[in-house]
């Protein structure tokens, strides 16, 4: 069983922005969702975990090794799929994987060839192995990204906003692939999309302004909100009035009418109906509490 302990991590950039503000997390095998709005500090935390930048204070232990003091240890255990891969060179998928494998220290040519063949099959790119990666569609690039992240059998994989820009079919395919590989290792999924965490993750944390607002199991968060969520359809012109009176968790517009989800211990009035909360309700409820 792998374990990742993050303790009191702090990172402030030269422009004065505190990107990571006293973050502590415990993460074990499986899919862990790091959920937060754009600019919440998710990418800064991912870069720090990957050893691409040092924290100002605090420490990270991976399998009891302090990786803030020994970043080379994590790099041998790590697969990283960044948010933006940058420009791909004009090189085939198989050749680029071979090059990355050499950089990761896979020196045995036969083992390298076997692993690349297996990974291309796993991500459904075998038929495209001799195509140049820069010609791939967005979904194919993300699947290629997973293949390169899996080279060298890493014990920790970090994926940063992996499904942004993918169409629903590609997103579903990509999520299924992550789900398959996420049982025996740690996969940290950093995203602003609640749906990705809902579909994939058994553990999660919500982060905003570099601070962890909540950590736990998605279903536990949903259960805690159960019986406290009420729904009503209103005219969209009435929204500001209701915002002054109630703790509105979610607003949805449908055919000129707004449906509001209100958090309250008791039914606000007879015009409201009780609803079962979703993870989206949990997410916005926690963000609203910390405004």
């Amino acid at each position: 069983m792998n374990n990742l302990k993050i303790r009191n991590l702090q990172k402030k950039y030269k422009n004065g922005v505190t990107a990571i503000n006293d973050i502590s997390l415990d993460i074990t095998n499986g899919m862990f969702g790091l959920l937060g709005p754009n600019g919440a500090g998710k990418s800064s935390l991912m870069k720090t975990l990957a050893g691409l930048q040092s924290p100002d204070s605090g420490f990270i232990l991976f399998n009891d090794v302090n990786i803030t003091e020994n970043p080379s240890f994590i790099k041998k255990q790590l697969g990283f799929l960044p948010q933006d891969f940058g420009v791909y060179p004009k090189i085939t998928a198989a050749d680029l994987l071979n090059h990355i494998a050499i950089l990761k220290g896979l020196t045995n040519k036969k083992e390298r060839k076997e692993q690349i063949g297996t990974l291309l099959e796993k991500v459904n790119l075998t038929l495209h192995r001799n195509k140049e990666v820069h010609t791939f569609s967005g979904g194919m690039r993300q699947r290629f990204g997973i293949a390169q992240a899996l080279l060298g059998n890493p014990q920790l994989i970090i994926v940063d906003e992996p499904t942004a820009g993918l169409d629903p079919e590609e997103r579903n395919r990509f999520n299924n692939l992550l789900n398959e590989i996420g049982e025996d290792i740690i996969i940290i999924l950093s995203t602003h999309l609640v749906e990705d965490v809902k579909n994939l993750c058994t553990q999660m944390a919500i982060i905003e302004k570099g601070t962890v607002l909540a950590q736990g199991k998605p279903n536990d968060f949903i259960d805690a909100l159960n019986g406290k969520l009420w729904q009503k359809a209103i005219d969209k012109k009435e929204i500001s009035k209701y915002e002054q009176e109630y703790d509105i968790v979610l607003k949805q517009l449908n055919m000129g009418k707004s449906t509001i989800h209100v958090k309250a211990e008791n039914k606000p009035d007879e015009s409201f109906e009780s609803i079962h909360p979703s993870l989206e309700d949990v997410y916005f409820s926690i963000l609203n509490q910390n405004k």
Side-chain angles (χ1 to χ4, degrees):
M1 175 71 78
N2 297 293
N3 65 77
L4 180 68
K5 289 185 197 293
I6 302 166
R7 289 292 179 270
N8 307 112
L9 218 59
Q10 195 86 18
K11 180 70 181 179
K12 189 173 184 178
Y13 292 126
K14 286 178 182 172
N15 62 3
V17 171
T18 300
I20 304 171
N21 186 18
D22 197 27
I23 285 181
S24 295
L25 292 168
D26 287 283
I27 303 172
T28 55
N29 283 7
M31 295 278 292
F32 185 93
L34 188 70
L35 183 61
N38 291 328
K42 301 187 302 294
S43 290
S44 291
L45 180 58
M46 297 302 96
K47 284 177 186 169
T48 309
L49 288 175
L52 299 176
Q53 64 182 16
S54 298
D56 298 332
S57 58
F59 62 90
I60 304 161
L61 296 180
F62 183 66
N63 294 342
D64 301 324
V65 175
N66 189 327
I67 61 172
T68 36
E69 294 173 354
N70 188 2
S72 61
F73 175 79
I74 195 65
K75 284 174 183 172
K76 289 173 188 168
Q77 316 274 337
L78 178 75
F80 188 32
L81 177 54
Q83 185 173 352
D84 183 11
F85 234 116
V87 179
Y88 281 98
K90 292 188 175 180
I91 183 172
T92 69
D95 285 347
L96 186 50
L97 283 177
N98 189 59
H99 177 68
I100 294 168
I102 291 167
L103 293 177
K104 281 195 171 185
L106 298 170
T107 53
N108 185 300
K109 190 176 179 181
K110 182 169 176 281
E111 281 180 20
R112 213 164 53 232
K113 188 177 177 184
E114 281 176 6
Q115 193 171 135
I116 288 166
T118 302
L119 288 174
L120 284 168
E121 193 173 327
K122 187 184 275 277
V123 299
N124 202 20
L125 287 175
T126 303
L127 295 175
H128 306 283
R129 62 180 297 131
N130 295 319
K131 284 186 182 171
E132 293 181 354
V133 181
H134 73 95
T135 67
F136 282 5
S137 69
M140 289 165 71
R141 286 188 189 199
Q142 288 298 68
R143 282 186 277 135
F144 176 84
I146 282 289
Q148 67 77 29
L150 285 168
L151 282 166
N153 299 315
Q155 295 304 298
L156 169 64
I157 293 181
I158 293 169
V159 282
D160 194 5
E161 296 287 357
T163 62
L166 298 188
D167 65 43
E169 188 183 347
E170 278 287 12
R171 201 164 120 200
N172 196 38
R173 187 184 295 163
F174 183 81
N175 284 345
N176 285 337
L177 178 60
L178 279 182
N179 201 32
E180 275 175 37
I181 61 178
E183 290 180 9
D184 302 319
I185 58 175
I186 294 173
I187 298 183
I188 301 177
L189 176 70
S190 167
T191 183
H192 68 281
L193 299 170
V194 177
E195 199 175 331
D196 286 347
V197 173
K198 178 184 77 178
N199 292 341
L200 292 167
C201 301
T202 52
Q203 292 280 339
M204 64 178 284
I206 295 171
I207 179 174
E208 190 184 34
K209 295 177 184 168
T211 303
V212 171
L213 305 181
Q215 180 188 1
K217 295 178 180 176
N219 287 342
D220 289 348
F221 286 127
I222 290 168
D223 289 346
L225 197 56
N226 207 10
K228 299 175 186 174
L229 206 64
W230 313 89
Q231 178 178 281
K232 182 180 180 179
I234 62 168
D235 192 288
K236 59 184 178 183
K237 294 172 190 164
E238 299 178 289
I239 280 184
S240 59
K241 173 190 154 212
Y242 277 91
E243 280 178 331
Q244 287 168 16
E245 287 185 44
Y246 300 110
D247 179 4
I248 295 179
V249 169
L250 199 61
K251 295 175 288 218
Q252 292 171 322
L253 196 61
N254 185 18
M255 294 168 59
K257 282 277 188 185
S258 282
T259 299
I260 55 171
H261 292 183
V262 166
K263 183 182 174 186
E265 290 294 329
N266 301 302
K267 191 175 191 174
D269 66 45
E270 287 307 310
S271 63
F272 284 86
E273 61 175 343
S274 176
I275 53 164
H276 188 71
S278 67
L279 193 59
E280 198 171 22
D281 292 312
V282 167
Y283 176 53
F284 287 111
S285 172
I286 288 170
L287 289 183
N288 290 346
Q289 278 172 21
N290 289 273
K291 275 186 178 173

